[in-house]
Amino acid sequence: MADGTGGRETIMATREIAAHEIHAHAAPQGFIRKWVFSLDHKVIGLQYYFLALTAVFVGMFLSLLMRIHLIWPNVPLPLLGEIKPETYLSLLTMHGTIMVFFVLTTAPQGGFGNYFLPIQIGAADMAFPVLNMLSFWITFLGYIVMLSAFFVVGGAPLHGWTGYPPLSALPTAGPGEGAGADLWVISIALFCVGALMSALNFITTTLDMRARGMSMMRMPLTCWAWFITAILGLLAFGVLFSAGILLLLDRNAGTSFFVPLVVVNGQLAAHKGGSPLLWQHLFWFFGHPEVYIAILPAMGLCSQLVSVFSRKPIFGYKAMVYAMLSIGFLGFMVWGHHMFMSGMSPYTAFAFSVMTMAIGVPSAIKTFNWLGTLWGGRIRLYSPMLFAIGFVSLFVSGGISGPFLAQPVLDIPLHDTYFVTGHFHLIMGVASIFGIFAATYYWFPKMFGRMMSESLARWHFWFTLIGTYAIFMPMHYLGMAGATRRYSQFTELAYLRDLIPLQKFITYAAIVTIAGQFIFLFNLFWSMKYGKKAGDNPWEATTLEWTTATPPPHDNFAGRTPTVYNGPYEYSVPGAPRDYVMQNDPTTVAAH
Amino acid sequence: MPPHPNDGDDFGSPFFDVRLRRARLGLVVGLTGIVMIFISFSSAYVVRQGLPTLDPRTNVLLHDWFPVPLPRLMLINTAVLLISTITMELARRHAARKVALGELAAVPGVSVNAEEKVSWLALTVVLGLSFLAGQWLVWRDLAASGFYVSTSPSSSFVYLLTGMHGVHLFGGVVALLTAGVGSLLHRRADSQSIVLDVTGWYWHFMALLWVYILCLLEFVH
Amino acid sequence: MGLVLLLVIWLITFVSAYFFMAKTWWLPTGASAAAAGIDHHFTTTYILMGIVFVAAQVLLGLFAWKYRDRAAAAPARYSHGNNTLEIAWTVLTLILFVGLNLMSSSIWASERFRPAEPGALQVEVTGMQFAWYFRYAGADGKFGATKPELIDPSAGGESAIGLDTADPASKDDVVTGTMYAPVNREVEVILRAHDVIHSFFVPAMRFKQDAVPGLAIHMHFTPISTGDYEIACAELCGLGHYKMHGMLKVVSQVEFDKWLTAREAEKQ
């Protein structure tokens, strides 16, 4: 062709257009094919989302019980009775495990990623819909197995979500370390399999199914985030899976991968020669990328939202992409910073700490770029934007405590104290949850055709922003004062007793904040039926999901594959008729 | 190739070459995940070998790694597996040829003999199952010599690595059986070809992985 | 709305910062030789990070309000970024973070790279569910043998650590539930664990180290003021983790010798 595009490209393009015009997917019929064993990525995304929704309320309930026990250790609770120290630790273990796996690794990626990645890149579905369906049901099975640990003899395990052996390897080391611990490991192994399958789908889809004109550097940052998260998952979950197999063997087959010669309660255990540190290395090799898996989708979404709601392109798109890639890459080289006090070589510790300080740099760059996007914008403070701004605030707060812990010398007083708990809750827990809330408020109109109530959303926002700061900021003070983690009560050491008033404050804040989450729950379900009807593009955003019907048809684009002409953040383009230019708009082709 | 509205197993495109490319890409990605599992086991293997722990009786650091003598049968199993990669490759190529010739067969007056004299697919299944049976016999052999999964750290790894490989190879066998059933049910040649292509490369990878495991167990100690 | 957001973000920032600056809850007074250096570096870190924290939050709140959409507002500035700025703040952040880390490396080196001094007092610290035991080698300077088969936690003391009384080196070993140390003398702790991972944490000494089964970890610290210092277990070890505590009593050398002699006498 005269403009230089090759003949082959034209043939390929013509084939694709022809194919999609005839290739409109027939929507499935019947309740089971449509809603249970659906192959439609949108339904699967909703399944993941609602799984995570139940999990987060279970996780919050567990933490509520924990906080109540901490300040009233001897008061029996209605229905549950008195919470014993081992029960507290089981609540703690299951809270962490359920939140990290079935909420933070499920909703942002499996939920929103599944729903919106194909649409945002202009595809009709994920590359492998059957695999996608299987990955959800395996994850669901893992969830059921995890919950079942509460109901077996001995109850749920008490070894923390990190499951360090020998505690997690010896049924005699504590109540719940019998069948409960086996179910915990099996559940995690199932989760790993589901996650690997999902990662396979995300990566193949992103690489091979982008619509014409949707180059990698024109993808919304949400897609980059889901893509990089999937790569992290692909490389990390296999390692956790392996560690889980080894632990299962130590527990049930008499092997000694992780257990040296130990004497529990005067009884010699039938193990010798294993290394507890081997588990820690394997676990944290997975565990550190895992925290980036938990936060990257929210970072991608935050970039999306600050751009849409400031009516400005994201400041430094390329830098944002490189920052996420660096975070992903460096994320595999810092795992030892969880092990500074573990007995690992101090020289190795030093190497890990330098890498860890380095990984703070791309995170800082992203923060500067978010601020740079707000600067000079025309900010519309709708609920998705409130939560995006809240995300930035929480990301800064949670991130600032990182450089303390990254330096081994400062980790000496702070490791295994509430300082760590405050740090990861702010930056991983709450920030990621704000991402989930923001995504819900933002994409609800596209998924359900109605708007969520803005006034209820604002109440939810204030409750949650102020409430979570009230819960987790004081934990830094507790940690500096030496308050150790995973203690079921603070009655035994004098310096811990002195800190009980601050612990009380945290508990009261938690009660109020958790109560506030019911505003969200009500808003979510009420709006599905009674929310104001939404048009196809209520936020006036540019990405491809807003070009299609609300809710999107079975094959996303009603047989018309989009062609992309513009980048994803063309807002307030000088000379354009409106302050936003859709990605598939050929009439206003911006420079990018 | 005429397009068809076949939900779910069309990998998002009616075009065979696109579907094949996509399936192969998926396989490469999936194999990366599996590689990480075996890298983890390998690193645990190396670490465990070199690891002294404190013997609380003598307060001396104890090296307790004694390699397990591997039964001869393992070499025979290896040969079986390597032969099966040849039959697998023949099956894969036959299926691909069937697709290529399929278009020609539609032309009037053209006769294409696309049937194979030997079912390479069936042969691969048989060899694959023989390998797995042979591995089971290796386990029996080890047990007879007193090496159980918990006997020593090195014996634990022998069972672990052969077991995990066996599980993955069995997955490949299941895929082959699915393809076999598909051909009996006269599924379309292009879908069959994609299944056999992906399974074929997976099978070759499993053979390579086995050789790696054998070398690890035999030479790294 | 924008103004409320600014005020809330600024309020949260200033209230949080206030409690850091007022040191309402803070590290306990340092009582070891290393504490001063660690605390000084802690202060450096918290001042630098505090400035970044306040600056970022203030700008966030400010921008959310200042650039809010209203009829009179100018159109948004169409800009895809600024490469010079990106490079600048990348380099500056790298210098800040890596610089901070390198500043602390000499303290880490002196705490962990070098072994204990030759004249240090050796104390074997053993953690088990759910108590700490401390063993002193006695006059012969040698720790007697221990055997796992002899471990009987319910009997306490020597039986709890499985001391082999048949070994002549065991005769002068003193096993106690309270740790004593003389002031101004380096203590070398040899950390062990019987059953699961524990962690020996003495906040006032700025000392923490996991006690791992299968390992005997040598580490050191030097108490520089007398007093009683609580020891907390800092690695989840089971249901009794919250009550696995001990006490470190730092006394004068004279008092320490008296105490040790008294314990040895009790053994006869």
Side-chain angles (χ1 to χ4, degrees):
Chain A
M1 286 181 78
D3 65 0
T5 54
R8 185 177 174 278
E9 208 195 76
T10 315
I11 293 169
M12 292 301 291
T14 317
R15 278 174 86 196
E16 292 293 344
I17 293 167
H20 281 277
E21 272 159 8
I22 322 164
H23 188 55
H25 275 198
Q29 306 301 322
F31 183 79
I32 297 281
R33 288 297 323 262
K34 211 167 166 205
W35 296 114
V36 181
F37 294 114
S38 173
L39 301 175
D40 184 337
H41 68 99
K42 298 185 288 298
V43 174
I44 295 171
L46 286 173
Q47 288 174 321
Y48 270 107
Y49 181 82
F50 286 108
L51 172 65
L53 192 67
T54 68
V56 78
F57 276 86
V58 170
M60 277 197 302
F61 177 63
L62 296 175
S63 66
L64 184 65
L65 294 177
M66 285 164 61
R67 286 305 322 175
I68 289 174
H69 175 76
L70 282 173
I71 61 172
W72 296 305
N74 301 310
V75 173
L77 297 174
L79 285 178
L80 296 145
E82 202 176 309
I83 295 180
K84 301 206 282 278
E86 53 269 35
T87 316
Y88 175 85
L89 293 175
S90 301
L91 296 171
L92 179 155
T93 302
M94 299 298 273
H95 165 81
T97 310
I98 289 173
M99 289 300 212
V100 170
F101 290 111
F102 296 102
V103 181
L104 302 181
T105 313
T106 295
Q109 186 83 348
F112 291 108
N114 253 316
Y115 200 113
F116 287 103
L117 174 70
I119 305 179
Q120 284 196 332
I121 62 172
D125 204 314
M126 285 284 191
F128 308 116
V130 175
L131 194 70
N132 205 9
M133 178 200 67
L134 280 175
S135 70
F136 170 73
W137 284 108
I138 290 177
T139 307
F140 181 78
L141 180 64
Y143 182 57
I144 300 299
V145 172
M146 182 59 72
L147 292 177
S148 71
F150 278 117
F151 302 104
V152 293
V153 172
L158 49 53
H159 52 233
W161 90 281
T162 48
Y164 282 11
L167 182 60
S168 61
L170 301 170
T172 48
E177 291 307 309
D182 282 320
L183 289 170
W184 181 87
V185 181
I186 291 169
S187 163
I188 287 176
L190 285 167
F191 188 90
C192 290
V193 173
L196 286 170
M197 291 162 101
S198 184
L200 199 168
N201 238 329
F202 274 66
I203 294 169
T204 309
T205 304
T206 310
L207 288 176
D208 207 58
M209 292 181 76
R210 282 168 285 119
R212 192 152 166 270
M214 179 63 82
S215 61
M216 291 295 279
M217 293 310 254
R218 275 191 185 156
M219 286 201 307
L221 288 169
T222 37
C223 299
W224 270 110
W226 288 317
F227 176 61
I228 296 172
T229 302
I231 295 176
L232 294 183
L234 185 74
L235 298 173
F237 275 104
V239 180
L240 178 65
F241 181 82
S242 305
I245 298 292
L246 297 179
L247 185 61
L248 223 45
L249 288 172
D250 270 10
R251 291 179 51 79
N252 296 293
T255 54
S256 299
F257 295 107
F258 304 128
V259 189
L261 193 77
V262 288
V263 178
V264 182
N265 248 322
Q267 302 290 330
L268 209 59
H271 294 276
K272 67 176 172 58
S275 168
L277 262 69
L278 177 61
W279 165 269
Q280 292 181 45
H281 280 294
L282 290 172
F283 180 84
W284 287 116
F285 186 87
F286 149 78
H288 199 81
E290 166 65 10
V291 316
Y292 294 113
I293 289 170
I295 201 68
L296 274 168
M299 289 166 118
L301 181 71
C302 180
S303 300
Q304 193 77 5
L305 296 178
V306 294
S307 175
V308 174
F309 291 97
S310 304
R311 315 310 289 165
K312 263 188 81 192
I314 190 75
F315 192 94
Y317 174 91
K318 278 216 170 84
M320 290 303 234
V321 172
Y322 294 141
M324 286 198 287
L325 287 168
S326 318
I327 289 172
F329 179 69
L330 291 172
F332 277 98
M333 300 186 193
V334 299
W335 81 88
H337 68 230
H338 301 270
M339 295 172 63
F340 288 151
M341 304 292 116
S342 67
M344 181 175 72
S345 152
Y347 297 93
T348 316
F350 178 70
F352 276 117
S353 80
V354 176
M355 295 305 292
T356 307
M357 294 304 270
I359 207 176
V361 176
S363 298
I365 292 171
K366 293 189 80 68
T367 309
F368 299 143
N369 281 316
W370 289 319
L371 290 171
T373 310
L374 292 173
W375 171 78
R378 275 190 78 146
I379 298 172
R380 302 173 174 182
L381 287 172
Y382 291 111
S383 46
M385 184 56 154
L386 290 176
F387 279 93
I389 291 176
F391 169 87
V392 178
S393 173
L394 290 157
F395 186 74
V396 168
S397 302
I400 291 292
S401 50
F404 287 83
L405 298 165
Q407 302 180 80
V409 145
L410 299 186
D411 196 46
I412 298 176
L414 298 174
H415 172 74
D416 231 84
T417 65
Y418 268 79
F419 193 91
V420 179
T421 312
H423 165 72
F424 69 71
H425 273 94
L426 280 178
I427 193 165
M428 177 177 74
V430 188
S432 185
I433 294 273
F434 265 59
I436 295 171
F437 287 139
T440 309
Y441 290 114
Y442 182 60
W443 276 317
F444 187 93
K446 182 54 61 175
M447 295 190 288
F448 301 108
R450 292 175 184 272
M451 307 298 287
M452 288 179 78
S453 156
E454 265 299 300
S455 50
L456 286 179
R458 286 180 180 189
W459 277 104
H460 177 225
F461 172 71
W462 294 121
F463 256 97
T464 314
L465 183 72
I466 298 170
T468 50
Y469 265 115
I471 298 170
F472 297 112
M473 191 55 88
M475 290 193 181
H476 297 85
Y477 314 136
L478 286 172
M480 289 189 295
T484 31
R485 281 176 77 177
R486 296 169 161 175
Y487 270 36
S488 54
Q489 52 198 78
F490 302 113
T491 48
E492 307 303 303
L493 281 101
Y495 83 90
L496 289 180
R497 286 194 292 268
D498 292 342
L499 297 168
I500 289 180
L502 193 51
Q503 292 281 5
K504 284 200 160 125
F505 174 80
I506 293 174
T507 297
Y508 299 141
I511 291 171
V512 172
T513 311
I514 290 176
Q517 302 318 301
F518 287 91
I519 301 174
F520 169 77
L521 200 62
F522 174 78
N523 194 357
L524 184 70
F525 288 105
W526 183 89
S527 302
M528 282 185 200
K529 205 137 191 272
Y530 300 111
K532 201 172 68 180
K533 275 210 148 59
D536 288 344
N537 191 358
W539 308 119
E540 300 187 315
T542 61
T543 45
L544 290 178
E545 73 269 35
W546 307 107
T547 67
T548 189
T550 295
H554 176 58
D555 72 342
N556 297 338
F557 296 102
R560 288 172 283 114
T561 326
T563 303
V564 172
Y565 299 94
N566 303 310
Y569 302 114
E570 296 307 310
Y571 296 98
S572 304
V573 181
R578 295 175 309 198
D579 76 341
Y580 63 104
V581 177
M582 306 302 292
Q583 281 201 270
N584 64 345
D585 179 352
T587 61
T588 318
V589 180
H592 295 259
Chain B
M1 196 100 285
H4 56 277
N6 206 333
D7 205 4
D9 66 353
D10 64 351
F11 299 168
S13 170
F15 300 113
F16 172 74
D17 54 343
V18 172
R19 296 201 333 267
L20 182 65
R21 177 188 76 218
R22 208 160 278 168
R24 284 177 171 175
L25 177 60
L27 179 71
V28 167
V29 175
L31 286 178
T32 309
I34 294 177
V35 162
M36 290 309 291
I37 295 177
F38 285 94
I39 287 181
S40 312
F41 287 141
S42 304
S43 108
Y45 179 80
V46 169
V47 164
R48 186 65 185 80
Q49 272 187 22
L51 197 74
T53 49
L54 210 58
D55 182 346
R57 288 186 196 88
T58 56
N59 271 332
V60 159
L61 288 174
L62 198 71
H63 288 263
D64 61 350
W65 183 273
F66 305 103
V68 172
L70 300 173
R72 278 281 147 93
L73 185 55
M74 261 179 159
L75 289 172
I76 299 175
N77 290 343
T78 308
V80 168
L81 188 63
L82 292 175
I83 293 171
S84 79
T85 66
I86 299 172
T87 60
M88 178 75 244
E89 184 61 15
L90 290 168
R92 188 186 73 82
R93 289 182 185 205
H94 174 82
R97 217 174 299 126
K98 243 179 132 173
V99 173
L101 294 176
E103 302 230 19
L104 278 177
V107 176
V110 172
S111 139
V112 162
N113 188 357
E115 290 313 308
E116 50 184 352
K117 295 178 193 59
V118 180
S119 170
W120 297 115
L121 177 87
L123 203 52
T124 312
V125 170
V126 167
L127 289 171
L129 289 173
S130 306
F131 172 85
L132 290 172
Q135 294 288 77
W136 175 252
L137 289 174
V138 164
W139 280 14
R140 293 258 308 255
D141 223 329
L142 286 169
S145 319
F147 291 105
Y148 299 87
V149 72
S150 59
T151 308
S152 70
S154 49
S155 74
S156 302
F157 274 100
V158 172
Y159 281 92
L160 174 75
L161 291 167
T162 54
M164 287 299 293
H165 173 266
V167 164
H168 283 87
L169 190 77
F170 183 72
V173 171
V174 169
L176 288 176
L177 287 171
T178 312
V181 166
S183 100
L184 286 175
L185 294 176
H186 295 294
R187 279 276 168 80
R188 285 189 335 274
D190 55 342
S191 299
Q192 284 290 88
S193 165
I194 291 177
V195 172
L196 278 171
D197 188 88
V198 163
T199 310
W201 291 114
Y202 179 84
W203 197 267
H204 296 327
F205 175 80
M206 281 299 136
L208 229 85
L209 180 64
W210 171 249
V211 171
Y212 163 77
I213 290 172
L214 198 60
C215 292
L216 190 72
L217 291 174
E218 184 60 42
F219 300 120
V220 178
H221 47 241
Chain C
M1 190 68 195
L3 190 60
V4 180
L5 190 56
L6 176 152
L7 289 172
V8 169
I9 291 176
W10 284 20
L11 193 67
I12 291 172
T13 304
F14 292 130
V15 168
S16 310
Y18 166 76
F19 285 113
F20 275 96
M21 292 188 291
K23 304 196 178 177
T24 321
W25 299 276
W26 201 249
L27 297 144
T29 314
S32 72
I38 294 176
D39 288 2
H40 176 77
H41 191 68
F42 190 91
T43 305
T44 309
T45 304
Y46 113 86
I47 289 174
L48 288 170
M49 301 315 298
I51 293 170
V52 174
F53 169 68
V54 171
Q57 302 282 13
V58 162
L59 282 178
L60 182 67
L62 182 68
F63 289 176
W65 170 76
K66 183 168 177 204
Y67 298 108
R68 66 197 185 283
D69 185 18
R70 51 198 197 287
R77 202 177 304 236
Y78 180 75
S79 158
H80 280 277
N82 181 327
N83 279 336
T84 317
L85 214 52
E86 298 286 357
I87 295 171
W89 60 44
T90 304
V91 170
L92 286 171
T93 314
L94 191 67
I95 292 174
L96 172 65
F97 285 163
V98 178
L100 256 181
N101 196 20
L102 293 177
M103 277 167 63
S104 71
S105 56
S106 57
I107 307 176
W108 180 249
S110 74
E111 285 309 294
R112 304 268 165 142
F113 290 0
R114 73 161 178 88
E117 287 164 3
L121 171 71
Q122 286 198 320
V123 184
E124 184 192 67
V125 177
T126 304
M128 65 188 78
Q129 287 177 331
F130 296 102
W132 294 103
Y133 286 99
F134 308 96
R135 181 156 68 129
Y136 298 83
D140 66 355
K142 287 214 311 259
F143 287 105
T146 53
K147 288 199 159 22
E149 294 81 12
L150 299 171
I151 292 175
D152 181 9
S154 57
E158 295 184 352
S159 302
I161 67 163
L163 190 65
D164 183 4
T165 43
D167 181 0
S170 304
K171 292 225 175 331
D172 60 351
D173 285 5
V174 168
V175 181
T176 62
T178 305
M179 183 174 177
Y180 273 78
V183 73
N184 292 322
R185 182 172 165 205
E186 190 167 82
V187 175
E188 178 182 14
V189 290
I190 303 156
L191 286 157
R192 309 182 62 155
H194 278 172
D195 38 33
V196 299
I197 303 176
H198 300 272
S199 190
F200 184 70
F201 176 36
V202 194
M205 298 295 158
R206 308 290 185 269
F207 184 90
K208 181 183 286 137
Q209 174 55 49
D210 285 3
V212 183
L215 297 178
I217 298 173
H218 291 247
M219 224 154 258
H220 53 85
F221 66 95
T222 306
I224 57 171
S225 59
T226 55
D228 291 353
Y229 305 103
E230 288 182 300
I231 302 166
C233 179
E235 184 57 51
L236 176 57
C237 57
L239 64 87
H241 177 50
Y242 75 99
K243 56 179 174 156
M244 181 169 168
H245 60 103
M247 189 66 77
L248 165 63
K249 288 181 182 291
V250 178
V251 296
S252 67
Q253 183 71 58
V254 165
E255 278 211 46
F256 175 78
D257 294 332
K258 247 176 40 190
W259 170 82
L260 195 59
T261 318
R263 296 284 83 71
E264 307 223 358
E266 270 169 17
K267 285 184 59 146
Q268 311 311 333

